[in-house]
């Protein structure tokens, strides 16, 4: 995997670049739509290709391991083939989903035992096991197995948690050195900086990870209940230490404003369930602000879903029609709203990209933030 930086912003830490993977190039900054169980909820792969500019999608180790299970994935040669997605895939390690979804989880230095949220069956995730699973899924980018501690964790808890995450990272790396990829192409491991909101822990984690020379690095443990200012402070601190010439991925973040602020602080990659989950609740992101399509004010609005939208469905269908679909609980409503929001998030990072190149990124960001925060 290779990362080249094409442009750096003279007024902020923003940059544009390209990540080269075995399944194609990824222009950065990039937003990665979340396909937890190997599907972007409510959207087909054809629609992802034709209606959005998605360049890489995310899968979750925790979910794919529980269902369909890695034997099925191995039989077909991995998730790219299983889901017919030929562009890059990144897998999260389960180090977050186990903590947010599984019941009865118990963390030991060895790993995490947990009960499946599907049938209550018991499982053990160790760093070695997670690497095996991510290899079998066939992700181009595999995330290290980490513990994400809550935004309000005590210093003592956060420190112990970071010790565990660092030991698990060493074990992930060692396991990968000793085992070849299953499908013959390169699968890059990204370490994850944890450390909660404690500057000395973040610094220690970032320095350790910077010394490893990984092909890319991630910032985890943010957007988990801490104040937004703290999140930005931790991003700045972490990015001041992580290598500049490697892609930086801010995990699970966030709102359109969070993404633009992250880009200004040198982040290249983002993922978040917000565009897809909020779409299913009727919330649409636009350059004019967010709208809730279930609001009665849209019942008679015969204007396009989004006159500025990049998806053809944004222009083909009207707000009144989408309002009707939501009211009638027609599942096509979920599809149209999800396509819209994914296309919007990709447009957001693409416009950021163009303004970094134009040299006016911070001014442009400041000019669009007020409208993005509006509720229409
Ligand atoms: N670790 C992992 N996945 C994540 C996170 C993390 O800290 C977050 C935190 N925002 C989202 N997804 N492995």
């Amino acid at each position: 995997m290779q990362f080249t930086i094409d442009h750096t912003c003279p007024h902020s830490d923003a940059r544009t670049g390209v990540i080269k993977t075995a399944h194609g190039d990824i222009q950065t900054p990039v937003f990665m739509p979340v396909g937890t169980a190997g599907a972007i909820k409510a959207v087909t792969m054809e629609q992802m290709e034709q209606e959005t500019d998605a360049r890489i999608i995310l899968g979750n180790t925790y979910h794919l391991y529980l269902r369909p299970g890695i034997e099925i994935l191995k039989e077909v040669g991995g998730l790219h083939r299983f889901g017919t997605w030929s562009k890059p895939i990144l897998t999260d390690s389960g180090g977050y989903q186990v903590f947010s979804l599984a019941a009865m989880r118990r963390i030991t230095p060895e790993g995490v035992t947990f009960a499946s949220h599907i049938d209550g069956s018991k499982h053990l995730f160790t760093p070695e096991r997670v690497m095996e699973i991510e290899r079998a899924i066939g992700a181009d980018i595999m995330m290290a197995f980490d513990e994400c501690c809550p935004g309000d964790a005590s210093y003592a808890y956060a420190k112990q948690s970071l010790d565990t995450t660092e030991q698990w990272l060493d074990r992930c790396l060692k396991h990968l050195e000793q085992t070849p990829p299953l499908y013959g192409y390169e699968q890059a491991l990204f370490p994850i900086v944890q450390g909660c909101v404690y500057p000395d822990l973040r610094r220690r984690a970032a320095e350790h990870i910077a010394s490893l020379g990984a092909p890319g690095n991630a910032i985890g443990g943010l957007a988990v209940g801490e104040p937004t200012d703290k999140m930005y402070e931790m991003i700045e601190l972490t990015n001041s230490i992580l290598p500049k010439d490697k892609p930086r991925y801010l995990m699970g973040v966030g709102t359109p404003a969070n993404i633009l602020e992250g880009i200004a602080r040198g982040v290249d990659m983002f993922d978040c369930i917000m565009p897809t989950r909020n779409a299913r609740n009727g919330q649409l992101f636009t350059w004019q602000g967010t709208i809730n399509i279930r609001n009665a004010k849209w019942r008679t609005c015969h204007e396009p879903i989004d006159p500025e939208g990049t998806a053809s469905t944004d222009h083909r269908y009207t707000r009144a029609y989408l309002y009707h679909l939501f009211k009638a609980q027609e599942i096509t409503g979920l599809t149209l709203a999800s396509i819209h929001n994914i296309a919007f998030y990709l447009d957001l990072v693409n416009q950021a990209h163009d303004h970094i190149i134009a040299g006016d990124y911070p001014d442009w960001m400041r000019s669009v933030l007020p409208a993005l925060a509006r509720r229409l």
Side-chain angles (χ1 to χ4, degrees), residues 143-346:
M143 301 311 297
F145 190 49
D146 62 331
E147 184 193 347
C148 171
C149 63
D152 60 357
S154 70
Y155 183 83
Y157 184 92
K159 184 170 183 300
Q160 201 194 356
S161 167
L162 179 59
D163 291 343
T164 305
T165 289
E166 290 189 339
Q167 287 157 16
W168 287 355
L169 173 59
D170 290 345
R171 284 166 58 191
C172 288
L173 289 166
K174 191 176 270 169
H175 183 82
L176 292 180
E177 267 170 29
Q178 293 166 354
T179 54
L182 291 182
Y183 310 122
Y185 54 82
E186 186 194 354
Q187 298 179 275
L189 181 80
F190 280 23
I192 304 171
V193 175
Q194 292 287 348
C196 203
V197 292
Y198 302 107
D200 66 312
L201 296 183
R202 283 273 163 196
R203 192 172 293 116
R204 174 187 126 194
E207 282 170 357
H208 173 63
I209 284 175
S211 76
L212 299 174
N217 300 292
I219 310 172
L222 294 177
V224 287
E226 78 286 2
T228 308
D229 290 353
K230 271 277 169 228
M231 172 168 83
Y232 293 149
E233 196 185 310
M234 291 302 120
I235 297 169
E236 279 171 35
L237 171 64
T238 307
N239 279 351
S240 73
I241 299 166
L242 288 180
K244 289 207 174 357
D245 59 347
K246 297 291 164 56
R248 299 162 173 150
Y249 164 28
L250 178 58
M251 306 190 75
V253 175
T255 63
N258 294 155
I259 288 179
L260 297 185
E261 296 280 4
I263 290 172
R265 289 166 176 78
V267 176
D268 308 295
M269 305 164 69
F270 302 86
D271 79 284
C272 192
I273 56 169
M274 198 174 264
T276 40
R277 175 177 291 174
N278 292 20
R280 299 194 301 280
N281 293 322
Q283 190 187 31
L284 307 182
F285 295 94
T286 80
W287 288 105
Q288 306 308 317
T290 56
I291 72 173
N292 197 311
I293 202 65
R294 293 176 307 178
N295 191 313
K297 73 197 266 191
W298 306 118
R299 192 174 66 86
T300 56
C301 177
H302 301 292
E303 301 298 319
I305 292 175
D306 184 359
E308 296 175 284
T310 60
S312 75
T313 46
D314 284 334
H315 301 271
R316 173 166 180 155
Y317 303 100
T318 64
R319 288 187 183 177
Y321 181 65
L322 192 52
Y323 170 90
H324 157 68
L325 295 182
F326 268 83
K327 280 288 152 187
Q329 296 189 344
E330 285 291 337
I331 55 180
T332 306
L334 308 183
T335 298
L336 295 179
S338 300
I339 289 173
H340 166 77
N341 277 354
I342 292 169
F344 176 78
Y345 266 63
L346 267 300

Side-chain angles (χ1 to χ4, degrees), residues 118-137:
I118 300 165
D119 61 5
S121 55
K122 284 234 176 69
H123 303 268
L124 168 66
F125 269 3
T126 63
E128 294 80 12
R129 183 76 180 127
V130 167
M131 291 302 100
E132 274 172 24
I133 301 167
E134 293 195 76
R135 276 258 169 88
I137 295 169

Side-chain angles (χ1 to χ4, degrees), residues 358-370:
D360 67 349
Y361 181 72
D363 284 346
W364 170 79
M365 177 178 89
R366 274 190 291 275
S367 76
V368 298
L369 285 178

